[in-house]
Every structure is written in structure tokens, then in C-alpha cells.
DNA sequence: AGCACGCCGACT
DNA sequence: GTCGGCGTGCTC
């Protein structure tokens, strides 16, 4: 019999795989992509993924045995492992970090592992030592015990060798719940005994029940609802008939009703299996045909469709085709755009074939979607960023809607991946077609399309008769007197709001989130409370009455006296949207207003609720941040006001102009529906800025051309690749030393392509000082794989240099 | 990531 | 003199 070894991936930021030995009894159950339970270090137990199987015994050390195999079927497919490796390689991070991001944590396991007794009767207790005895005793009292509880029980940290001994003796087992930590939800359904389908039998039943009115009610209710629905659950029947469970039990005992338990998905859904036909308009059909034609020669297409042009119908039709061929489809959306509306719409077409995957799901729900995709029960996934990691088989189509959205990029922690780009690679792995969609494509995607890498399909007709809104730029500079009276609203905007409300139409006001967080400010000396661990101002949270740091979670009670000058004139500036709401309250006391921002949408369904209420005209004015650009078409909005466009445009980032354009265009797109032509008022100081002009003219093309020219001359994407390196150190002087040393080393390889080091906007986070380096590599002439290789080597030697002790690096490839 | 081993300050 | 602080290195 052979002795096998496996190299496993651990869910840790470690750069290598570890080799474990396979006990003979597991020889037949191991396979690449299955999870195994391993002990790593003295005390830790992890579930690891088998990366490869071999027979080479390690020479320099003795491999530990795996403790268990968790899966009967593989849980991570070969394509997924290939994707993980690509991500680790491209984004310069560890495989374990990718694993962490990819696997739902219900499928991972740490020392929260539970053990159960295997067979208490056959154990010869005399063979056990005192500690083993203690564990057995505990297991007799409670059937499941966590490893961490055993540590407490024995009062010692190294319990795994003992447990391992017990495992080997066959006394204990690792609880299945690790493997199946998520449990399918069961639901009881009621059905009528088929003998009563006969009219005569039914009549007799009614007569026999006339002295049991509750039971008769239950039967009648059942028959009534059975006409319109396929299945009736026990709970539903009890509720609708108004009778208690005793009546139902009596009927079950009489064998009138039958109750069976069925596994139902945790994810609420209507099991509507009918696939509905999509009817496309002429323009949509033309775009659809162009996409299909493009897919013959190119794997990737970009659908550039203006707001409300009906891109979704095209997506649905494409998905239909793929599903009919028996393949899977992935429909990616930014988290914030993944609303109930879009989910319902897709459910309507695809019923239970569709699965939804996003960060608001519970861990069990995520694991359930994972398994269903694995088993092929779910063919279509509608999901946010992390759904690129799901175990698809035979993927035929990947759609990335709102392709330009920044939220496709994960910034922290590693893997710092771009889900749109990852989706493109995923498509390549599965030989699937990829469709990117946007009303304002990112410069890089549009450039790729223009350069012929992607098929470009334009859809520039708004659906139905909806017209483009009229956009007006209003200067914030003009009225000095007026401004003193109120800093947010120009008379023009106020006048327009009043007119709109008089027509019984609705208004949306947009305020940029950035730079409008609620900080405390001393009116006398300008002091504002800072975090003690980070170089940022604390933000005030009304709910807790405390000031919080967003970077490290530090909290402090609200202060009432300025620690710098002793003044008591401390102003709480509040959220930007809050202040606007207040100001507007004075100006228009009768208007009903709602806020849509981080603060007002903290609770679970509040986002949906606010939008629904607004849609039903319970509010006249909606004041919101970036969020109002999302959500589907709602309300009877005919006026949109941008409070201050400068804060968007002046943001210090090479993509600020591009983002401002897409933000302002998207928000503007919310104005006007069907019969009403919308109006947009943009307030700004820099009224002559080219971006504003381009927004007014709905001129994406010119925006694109000017951006491309600028990026080419200043060395930014799509012409250059960017790699950001953050050097961190507890000491503010040594961080500069380390960064400089690294810069010199990198310059030996890359010359002037290395920029910096410089201190970033926030110079210290969690007590670590930060310096950043930026690498700019010409995309056309520099081989990225060579760059990465050199970089990997340089970074490795950085860590071995004694001078760099105490510092560490964060690498971010494509940091935008 | 977590844990142990090891080297320097303040406290019985 | 020791207790404990965290900085450093290893885990198959
Ligand atoms: Zn002050
Ligand atoms: Zn902080």
C-alpha cells in the first residue's frame, strides 16, 4: 500500500504550501480540491485545501498526519485553483490570502472545531490517562465540545496532541458539523390524501367533519389555496385557516392530511420555473445582434449604453441563450446596485435557477450558494465582487454591469483584486464570453474597445420616450450676501426646488460623501480631535454619542472643551447631508425630506425602505450621497441638484475627472421619466471646468479623448501599469529610511519608473507610519511578468535585510 | 495568523 | 535579582 503526501493551502498569509502525510485509511478519499483538517503549529487546527498529491516524503522534517478529510466530493475545482494562482501571481499576494477571500467562512474552520465521542461503550477506560479521562467525562455530559473549551477544561494550551491521541485510538471524532456547518433549512408541507380527490369521498369527508368546524376549516382552506398554488406549507395553512395545530394533528392522525418535510433554500425565493420571453426594442435587438456577432471573433464585448437604455433586457436574453445550452452564467453587479428590484426581475425570468451572492448574506447562506453552484443546482449567479470565486462549471457567459464602478476593486485586505479584470480572466479560463456594460465606461475599457481588443456596442437610445435632462451649471461664487445666509443653496436652486414641488414632482439633492464626514471643530482655534493611533480626525456618531476612528476603531467620548485653547465653542458639523437637510428645513418648512447616506441606511432594509417610500411619494426631497446614483428608476423625479461639484473634481487622484463625469452623469440620469423632461442643476465654483461642460453636453467621447491625451503624457493607465508599494513602520523616521532604501534598490532595476517615496494623505494608521512608492510601467513595451518576478525577488530580499527589521510592505497592483 | 522563544526595563 | 514587555522567527 502506498504512502501519500499532500501539499495543502492554509487560509493564512503564508507564501508556501505545507506537506502532510495521509493516514492509510484516507488513501482513497483524498483528492485535489478537497478540504482536510490539519494541525499547524502547536495548537492551531485549520481546514486546508489539498493543492497536490504526491509520494515524496519530505527529507528535512517529518510531516504531520492530516487529522481528517472533510469532503466526499471536491469543493474547489481545478479552474478555481487556477484562478487563485493567477490572482496570487498577478496581484502579488499569498495563495492563502486568496483562499481566505474566496471560501465562505462556514467552509473554513479554526480552533472552533468541535469534537464528538466516537463510541463510548467499547472504550477501555483503564487505558486512558487522567486528561483523556477528563475529556471523555465531558463528552458524556455534552455530546459536542469545542477545542477551545478543552483548553479551558484541562487548563493547558497544548491540547492537540492529546486529542490527536484520542483520535488515533478511535475514541473521538471531529464533528461533522465542521464539514456541514451550514444546515439546510427544512419546511413542513401539507398535502391532502389522494383518495379525497374523488368527489364522493370528499363529500363524505365534509360530512364527517361537521362536528369539528376547525378541522373542516382547515380542509376547506387547503382546497381553496390548492387551486392557485402548488404547495402549501404547514405554517401557511395554520395561518390562513386560523386553526390551531391540534386540529391539524387530528387530521393527520385520521390520514386526511399528510405532512412531509422538505429541504428548502435559506434564501427566500418563489419557485417560479417558467422562463419568460424577453421582448427587445429595435435598438436593443440591434445591440444584442452586434454583441452576438462580436462574440464570434472576440471573447470580450463592451456595451456602452446610456442610462435607462435597457441594458438589463439584453443581459437577460443573453443569459437565456447560455442557460438553454446548459451552461452557467455569472452576472456581476456592484454591491450597492444589487437591489431587491434587480433580484426580483431576474427571479421572474429564471426562477430558482438563479442564486444571489453578496456580502449581506449570512455565512450559512453563502456556503449554501457555493454548494448549489458546485452541484449545478444554480446555473445563474447574480452577485457582487466576491462571486467570481464561486465553483462554476462550464461557465458560458460573464456579465460585468456598471463596469466602471470603483467598488469592483478590493482595497483591503489582500488579495487587492479587481473583480472586473478577474472576471475577464475567469472567462478566459472557462472559454466563456465576457460582456462589460456601462453608461460611462472606464477609460481603460473604452480604450481597449477602441483599440479593437473588445467589440464595442453602443446603445444610445433611451428606452421608451425618456428624454435626456437639461443640465445647468450655477456658480456658487456669485451671491456673497446670499451665501452668508446659506452656504449650500444658490437662489437658482431654491427657486427650481420650489417650482418642482409646486408641480407635485420630486427632487433629489446630491452631496459628495468625501470631505463631508461629521467632525468636531473648534470655532476659536480650528482644532479638531484626532485619533491617537492614526493621523485622521475622529468622526462624531450620534447613535453612540462618541467620536470614532474609521481606520482603527478607536472611540472617545465627546469633548465639550477644546483641549488646545480651552474654548467651549465646539461645533459639530454633522454629515453633509444632515446639514443640508437642516438648512432646507428652514427654507422650505413644508417639504417632506429623507436622507439616503451611510448614516441613515445602517439598519438592514433601510436602504430599500427609503427608496420605496420615496417611490411612493411619501417624501418630496431625497438628499443623498453616492448612493442615490444607484437603485433603479424610482419616483417622479424631475429635478436634481448637485450641491457642490468641486469636491468631486478636486479629489487628488488621477481618475478624479473620469469619476466626476460618470458620477454626475449617473446622478443626472435619474432626472426625468417618460413624459417629464428632467432638469439638473450643478452648483460649483469652477463653473468653467471642462468636465462640467462635458457633462452638460452628455459628451462622453470628448471626455474620453481629453483624458486619454492627459494620461498618455503624464504616464497613467491605460498606457502605464501602476503598482503601489506601502512601506510601514512604527517609527516615523525609520519608515522613511526603509522606503528610501527600497526605492534605491528598485531604481537599480526600473530606473526612473520608480516614484517616491512620499508620505500619503494619511501618514499613520494603527500606529504604523506609512510611506508609499509608485511604479509606473509602460504597458506596451515592458513585460509585466518580468516586472513581477523582479519585484517578488526584491521584496523577498527586503525582508531578509536586517536594516528593514520591524517594517513590512503592502503591494497593490492596479491600485485604482 | 498565532504562538514560543528571547532579550531589555521597573519592581519585589 | 525576577516578571513581563514586545520584537523575531517558525509553523509541514
Ligand atoms: Zn480651540
Ligand atoms: Zn485610528
Amino acid at each position: 500500500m502506498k504512502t501519500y503526501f499532500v501539499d495543502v493551502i492554509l487560509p493564512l498569509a503564508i507564501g508556501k504550501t505545507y506537506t502532510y502525510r495521509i493516514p492509510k485509511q484516507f488513501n482513497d478519499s483524498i483528492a485535489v480540491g478537497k478540504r482536510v483538517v490539519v494541525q499547524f503549529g502547536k495548537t492551531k487546527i485549520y481546514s486546508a485545501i489539498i493543492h497536490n498529491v504526491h509520494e515524496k516524503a519530505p527529507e528535512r522534517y517529518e510531516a504531520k498526519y492530516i487529522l481528517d478529510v472533510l469532503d466526499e466530493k471536491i469543493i474547489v475545482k481545478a479552474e478555481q485553483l487556477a484562478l487563485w494562482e493567477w490572482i496570487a501571481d498577478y496581484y502579488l499576494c499569498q495563495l492563502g490570502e486568496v483562499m481566505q477571500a474566496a471560501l465562505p467562512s462556514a467552509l473554513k474552520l479554526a480552533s472552533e472545531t468541535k469534537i464528538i465521542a466516537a463510541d463510548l461503550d467499547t472504550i477501555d477506560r483503564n487505558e486512558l490517562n487522567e486528561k483523556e479521562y477528563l475529556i471523555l467525562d465531558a463528552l458524556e455530559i455534552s455530546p459536542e465540545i469545542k477545542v477551545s473549551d478543552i483548553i479551558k477544561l484541562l487548563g493547558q494550551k497544548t491540547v492537540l496532541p492529546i486529542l490527536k491521541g484520542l483520535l488515533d485510538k478511535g475514541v473521538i471524532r471531529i464533528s461533522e458539523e465542521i464539514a456541514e456547518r451550514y444546515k439546510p433549512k427544512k419546511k413542513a408541507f401539507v398535502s391532502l390524501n389522494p383518495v379525497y380527490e374523488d368527489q364522493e369521498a370528499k363529500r363524505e369527508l365534509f360530512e364527517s367533519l361537521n362536528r369539528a368546524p376547525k378541522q373542516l376549516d382547515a380542509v376547506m382552506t387547503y382546497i381553496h389555496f390548492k387551486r392557485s398554488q402548488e404547495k402549501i406549507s404547514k405554517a401557511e395553512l395554520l395561518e390562513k385557516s386560523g386553526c390551531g395545530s391540534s386540529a391539524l394533528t387530528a387530521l393527520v392522525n385520521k390520514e386526511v392530511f399528510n405532512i412531509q418535510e422538505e429541504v428548502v433554500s435559506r434564501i427566500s425565493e418563489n419557485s417560479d420555473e417558467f422562463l419568460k420571453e424577453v421582448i427587445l426594442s429595435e435598438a436593443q435587438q440591434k445591440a444584442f445582434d452586434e454583441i452576438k456577432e462580436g462574440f464570434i471573433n472576440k471573447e470580450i464585448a463592451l456595451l456602452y449604453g446610456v442610462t435607462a437604455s435597457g441594458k438589463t433586457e439584453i443581459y437577460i436574453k443573453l443569459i437565456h441563450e447560455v442557460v438553454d445550452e446548459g451552461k452557467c452564467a455569472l452576472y456581476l453587479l456592484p454591491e450597492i446596485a444589487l437591489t431587491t428590484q434587480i433580484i426580483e426581475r431576474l427571479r421572474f425570468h429564471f426562477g430558482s435557477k438563479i442564486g444571489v451572492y453578496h456580502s449581506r448574506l449570512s455565512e450559512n447562506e453563502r456556503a449554501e450558494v457555493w454548494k448549489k453552484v458546485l452541484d449545478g443546482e444554480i446555473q445563474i449567479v447574480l452577485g457582487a465582487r466576491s462571486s467570481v470565486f464561486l465553483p462554476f462549471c462550464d461557465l458560458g457567459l460573464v456579465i460585468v454591469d456598471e463596469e466602471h464602478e470603483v467598488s469592483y476593486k478590493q482595497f483591503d485586505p489582500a488579495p487587492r483584486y479587481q473583480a472586473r479584470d478577474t472576471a475577464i480572466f475567469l472567462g478566459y479560463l472557462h472559454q466563456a464570453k465576457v460582456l462589460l456594460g456601462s453608461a460611462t465606461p472606464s477609460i481603460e475599457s473604452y480604450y481597449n474597445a477602441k483599440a479593437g481588443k473588445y467589440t464595442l456596442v453602443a446603445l444610445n437610445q433611451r428606452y421608451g420616450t425618456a428624454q435626456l435632462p437639461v443640465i445647468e451649471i450655477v456658480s456658487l461664487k456669485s451671491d456673497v450676501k446670499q451665501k452668508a445666509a446659506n452656504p449650500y443653496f444658490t437662489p437658482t436652486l431654491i427657486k427650481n426646488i420650489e417650482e418642482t414641488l409646486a408641480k407635485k414632482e420630486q427632487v433629489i439633492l446630491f452631496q459628495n460623501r468625501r470631505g463631508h464626514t461629521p467632525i468636531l471643530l473648534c470655532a476659536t482655534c480650528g482644532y479638531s480631535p484626532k485619533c491617537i493611533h492614526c493621523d485622521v480626525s475622529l468622526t462624531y456618531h450620534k447613535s453612540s454619542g462618541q467620536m470614532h476612528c474609521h481606520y482603527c476603531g478607536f472611540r472617545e467620548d465627546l469633548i465639550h472643551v477644546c483641549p488646545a485653547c480651552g474654548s467651549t465653542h465646539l461645533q459639530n458639523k454633522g454629515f453633509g447631508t444632515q446639514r443640508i437637510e437642516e438648512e432646507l428645513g428652514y427654507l422650505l418648512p413644508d417639504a417632506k425630506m429623507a436622507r439616503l447616506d451611510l448614516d441613515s441606511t445602517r439598519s438592514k432594509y433601510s436602504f430599500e425602505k427609503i427608496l420605496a417610500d420615496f417611490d411612493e411619494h411619501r417624501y418630496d426631497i431625497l438628499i443623498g450621497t453616492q448612493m442615490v446614483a444607484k437603485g433603479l428608476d424610482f419616483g417622479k423625479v424631475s429635478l436634481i441638484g448637485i450641491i457642490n461639484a468641486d469636491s468631486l473634481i478636486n479629489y487628488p487622484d488621477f481618475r478624479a475627472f473620469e469619476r466626476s463625469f460618470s458620477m454626475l452623469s449617473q446622478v443626472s440620469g435619474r432626472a426625468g421619466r417618460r413624459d417629464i423632461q428632467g432638469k439638473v442643476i450643478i452648483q460649483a465654483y469652477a463653473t468653467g471646468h471642462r468636465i462640467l461642460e462635458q457633462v452638460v453636453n452628455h459628451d462622453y467621447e470628448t471626455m474620453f479623448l481629453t483624458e486619454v491625451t492627459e494620461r498618455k503624457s503624464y504616464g497613467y493607465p491605460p498606457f502605464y501599469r501602476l503598482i503601489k508599494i506601502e512601506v510601514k513602520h512604527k517609527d516615523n523616521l525609520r519608515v522613511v529610511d526603509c522606503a528610501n532604501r527600497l526605492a534605491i534598490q528598485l531604481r537599480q532595476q526600473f530606473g526612473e519608473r520608480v516614484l517616491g517615496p512620499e508620505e500619503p494623505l494619511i501618514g499613520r494608521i494603527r500606529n504604523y507610519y506609512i510611506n508609499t512608492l509608485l511604479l509606473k510601467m509602460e504597458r506596451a513595451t515592458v513585460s509585466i511578468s518580468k516586472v513581477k518576478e523582479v519585484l517578488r525577488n526584491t521584496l523577498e530580499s527586503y525582508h531578509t535585510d536586517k536594516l528593514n527589521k520591524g517594517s513590512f510592505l503592502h503591494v497593490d497592483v492596479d491600485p485604482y
Side-chain angles (χ1 to χ4, degrees), chain A residues 531-536 538 549-554 765-766:
Chain A
C531 176
I532 55 166
H533 309 297
C534 315
D535 287 346
V536 289
L538 295 169
C549 170
H550 283 173
Y551 290 86
C552 70
F554 173 76
I765 293 174
R766 292 172 183 269

Side-chain angles (χ1 to χ4, degrees), chain A residues 11 33-37 46-49 70-71 74-76 80 84 99-100 102-110 176-183 357 363-372 374 389-391:
Chain A
K34 282 191 187 179
R35 289 171 304 154
V36 291
V37 180
Y46 293 101
S47 77
I49 297 285
L70 290 177
D71 303 304
I74 63 162
I75 199 162
V76 181
Q80 286 177 278
W84 292 10
M99 175 180 170
Q100 283 257 304
L103 271 191
S105 55
L107 298 175
K108 286 176 242 163
L109 123 115
E176 277 307 303
E177 213 180 313
I178 311 147
E180 304 294 333
R181 186 171 284 184
Y182 78 98
K183 289 210 178 88
Y357 197 72
E363 283 305 329
N364 282 330
E365 289 169 329
R366 285 167 153 256
E368 195 165 326
V369 174
W370 183 284
K371 290 245 169 164
K372 282 191 169 178
L374 196 66
F389 291 117
L390 286 168

Side-chain angles (χ1 to χ4, degrees), chain A residues 545-589:
Chain A
Q546 285 182 312
M547 302 180 292
H548 298 200
C549 170
H550 283 173
Y551 290 86
C552 70
F554 173 76
R555 288 167 181 224
E556 198 172 54
D557 285 336
L558 191 63
I559 52 164
H560 299 283
V561 180
C562 173
C565 73
S567 158
T568 52
H569 290 268
L570 289 167
Q571 294 175 330
N572 165 24
K573 291 255 171 182
F575 270 94
T577 42
Q578 264 166 23
R579 281 174 265 161
I580 288 164
E581 188 182 25
E582 273 167 34
E583 286 289 335
L584 207 54
Y586 300 131
L587 294 166
L588 304 162

Side-chain angles (χ1 to χ4, degrees), chain A residues 40 80 150 161 172 214 240 266 274 293 297 304 312 337 364 376 463 467 607 647 679 685 758-759 775:
Chain A
F40 185 64
Q80 286 177 278
I150 292 174
I172 59 165
K214 285 285 179 191
K240 286 186 173 151
R266 270 168 212 284
F274 305 107
E293 207 185 303
N297 295 316
Y304 165 35
T312 316
N364 282 330
Y463 200 64
Q467 291 170 290
F607 180 79
S647 65
K679 184 166 187 182
Y685 285 96
E758 64 178 30
E759 194 184 321
L775 303 188

Side-chain angles (χ1 to χ4, degrees), chain A residues 451-471:
Chain A
K453 263 176 92 178
Y454 309 161
T455 305
L456 179 61
V457 178
L459 182 64
N460 34 34
Q461 225 176 70
R462 285 187 127 192
Y463 200 64
T465 53
Q467 291 170 290
L468 285 173
V470 178
I471 303 176

Side-chain angles (χ1 to χ4, degrees), chain A residues 144-162:
Chain A
E144 276 189 354
I145 309 179
K146 284 192 278 183
V147 173
S148 51
D149 289 335
I150 292 174
I151 292 172
K152 279 182 218 149
L153 177 75
L154 299 182
Q156 71 182 63
K157 282 183 182 171
T158 353
V159 298
L160 281 170
I162 302 168

